[in-house]
Amino acid sequence: MRRRRAPNTRCWRYWGRVAAGPADARSYKGQDRALRADRLGTAGLLLSVLAASAPLMVVAGVMPTTFGVMGIVGQPLLFVILGAVLALFSIGYAEMSRHVHNAGAFYAYIARGLGPTAGAGASLVALVAYSAMQVGVYGILGFEISGLFATYLDTELAWWIPALAAVALTGGLGWLKIDLNAKVLGVLLIIEVLLVVVFDLAALGKPGPEGLSLHAFNPETLTGAGLGTALCFCIAAFVGFEQSPVYAEETSKPHIVVSRVMFLAVGFVALFFALSAWALTVATGPGEVVKASAEAGPGLLFQLTESRLGTTFTDVLHVLFVSGMFAAMLSFHNVVSRYAFAMGREGLLPAAFGRTNAGTGAPATGSLLQTVVSVVVVLAFAFTDDMPVGDPTAPVLHLFTWMGSVGALGVTLLMATASFAVIAFFVRRGTAGAQVWRLVAAGLAGVALLAIAVYTVRDFGVLVGAEEGSALSWALPGIIAAAVVVGLVYGLVLRSTRPEVHARIGLGNEAFRLDQAAESTPGD
């Protein structure tokens, strides 16, 4: 009979005692320190992670920027290529999710594969990257709401007022049950998708002067100096699918649901955005899409719907544009609060972050942290932005673009590192032979994602619209570099000063079981 392998060699002598009987992590020292299980099924989890991709915001904001600023006509093909890369990534990532259930997802996987110190570095990168992406959306949301007030109510409203209101509402929802959040996200997402599909059909039904051209899928359309920045913008549109493992502890049958949702999300996003980007090229004509996007910017989609679907549809689209951004913010907020929870549970953050709300099971302290960070950043941009006073484009050009780009770079690096961590995890367990095709897929994805990250850093000045020689070209990606360095140093310090905490990084609920086993066997 084959001898059973211990789940983790870092559990020391406590593991044998713990494995003999499950311990209830919620009852540890009388504290509710575990996320509530069985709150999400396949549909709820899928809607939660897809909401982060903000379909309407991508079609109205990201796509015209990629066409107009980067000059990449082949954006539809780019989504297909990135979809293939991320599908390769998901093969190993999904397999890892069957073995490790932890709200810390990225950093937990990296810790289990590359060691606790690497996990500590990844935890801080994840916290910074997802926080940056969420805070960045507040800028474009404030800008859009301010525009709606000016258009329909003839009222001037500073962008940061609705932005702060959104921070408060998002923070409040972050304290509620995740299944309730999933319902809110699901309704908003479905409406968004339906509206974009209506536009796609209208564009294909009434094409521009070049007809139903497939030129945008020609590989020759991917040439140009803006390819690196286009890659970063487009990969940011996929962000959300990789969040599935974050909710593993709150799903029913996580070993099945998490991987299923991941592949469904990647496939949907790749297909949906490729078709929508193609519809934009058809509506304007592939030869004119770069010029039209440069002139209209985020207004391109609304101009095209105005001429094809009328004023009423366009007005509804403006309103749903706001609700879609709100759904993305709530999705990112839920992820950040769960990362903070996982870090608090394992000792990377103060213990208060590792506790949940007794009534809802939500990671309340992590939610509060993200709310406070959002308020501080929004106010900082409101009072220090160097755009001319009263210029409504400031939050879009600075807060949204800068923070979104920083977040996209961080997530890309995390995915690349996680790919190599998957390989190391199964090699260290001695099961690489049985997983060889998954490990090959993970290796290919890791190399591709690393190349995208290098391209992004090289062209970061273009990505954020900085002038040549501007300090922003290195200062903004430096935020992620600083998070890596600080996290790694912190991990090394923990290894020297608190080895028991260092050894628990990435263990999740297993960390509680170790503590309980240790306390129940005095004298060891």
Side-chain angles (χ1 to χ4, degrees), residues 29-60:
K29 293 184 178 179
Q31 298 167 346
D32 198 5
R33 296 176 65 182
L35 295 168
R36 302 288 175 85
D38 299 326
R39 284 288 174 87
L40 292 172
T42 299
L45 180 56
L46 181 62
L47 293 173
S48 295
V49 300
L50 283 177
S53 64
L56 193 51
M57 185 174 70
V58 171
V59 176

Side-chain angles (χ1 to χ4, degrees), residues 168-192:
L169 182 57
T170 303
L173 287 172
W175 280 61
L176 301 181
K177 297 178 181 179
I178 187 59
D179 47 346
L180 176 59
N181 274 266
K183 291 175 182 177
V184 173
L185 293 172
V187 171
L188 296 177
L189 175 69
I190 291 171
I191 295 173
E192 273 189 272

Side-chain angles (χ1 to χ4, degrees), residues 118-436:
S123 69
L124 191 56
V125 172
L127 209 59
V128 170
Y130 283 117
S131 293
M133 295 194 82
Q134 188 211 12
V135 173
V137 178
Y138 286 118
I140 193 170
L141 178 135
F143 167 72
E144 182 66 18
I145 293 180
S146 177
L148 291 176
F149 268 75
T151 301
Y152 299 107
L153 300 177
D154 196 24
T155 302
E156 291 189 10
L157 182 69
W159 69 269
W160 53 268
I161 296 176
L164 289 177
V167 171
L169 182 57
T170 303
L173 287 172
W175 280 61
L176 301 181
K177 297 178 181 179
I178 187 59
D179 47 346
L180 176 59
N181 274 266
K183 291 175 182 177
V184 173
L185 293 172
V187 171
L188 296 177
L189 175 69
I190 291 171
I191 295 173
E192 273 189 272
V193 169
L194 289 176
L195 289 176
V196 174
V197 168
V198 170
F199 160 73
D200 291 346
L201 293 175
L204 299 178
K206 187 180 178 181
E210 299 176 53
L212 290 174
S213 172
L214 293 173
H215 179 68
F217 290 100
N218 187 331
E220 294 179 0
T221 60
L222 294 180
T223 58
L227 180 59
T229 52
L231 283 167
C232 182
F233 259 67
C234 290
I235 206 167
F238 280 89
V239 170
F241 83 94
E242 83 294 342
Q243 298 171 8
S244 300
V246 173
Y247 301 98
E249 297 176 39
E250 299 168 89
T251 62
S252 56
K253 301 180 180 178
H255 59 291
I256 297 174
V257 172
V258 170
S259 58
R260 177 191 298 163
V261 165
M262 210 178 308
F263 286 109
L264 287 173
V266 170
F268 173 82
V269 170
L271 179 62
F272 183 77
F273 285 152
L275 290 176
S276 297
W278 177 53
L280 285 175
T281 69
V282 169
T284 60
E288 294 294 322
V289 68
V290 171
K291 179 181 177 181
S293 297
E295 292 176 352
L300 177 64
L301 176 65
F302 302 104
Q303 289 181 7
L304 295 173
T305 58
E306 180 83 27
S307 62
R308 287 169 172 78
L309 297 164
T311 302
T312 301
F313 183 88
T314 303
D315 290 342
V316 172
L317 202 63
H318 273 291
V319 174
L320 269 298
F321 185 39
V322 172
S323 67
M325 287 185 286
F326 180 79
M329 289 186 302
L330 181 56
S331 181
F332 283 126
H333 181 92
N334 288 337
V335 168
V336 173
S337 60
R338 280 156 179 76
Y339 266 102
F341 166 80
M343 294 169 69
R345 180 169 60 181
E346 295 173 9
L348 288 167
L349 287 178
F353 289 97
R355 303 186 185 113
T356 59
N357 183 301
T360 66
T365 310
S367 177
L368 180 61
L369 171 67
Q370 178 62 5
T371 301
V372 171
V373 169
S374 298
V375 169
V376 170
V377 175
V378 168
L379 288 177
F381 272 84
F383 292 114
T384 65
D385 199 290
D386 61 3
M387 296 293 290
V389 176
D391 187 339
T393 64
V396 177
L397 295 178
H398 288 183
L399 180 55
F400 175 63
T401 306
W402 293 0
M403 294 297 99
S405 300
V406 168
L409 173 61
V411 172
T412 303
L413 284 173
L414 286 170
M415 286 194 289
T417 308
S419 296
F420 300 125
V422 168
I423 297 173
F425 176 79
F426 288 107
V427 169
R428 290 169 63 178
R429 288 170 63 94
T431 58
Q435 304 284 357
V436 63

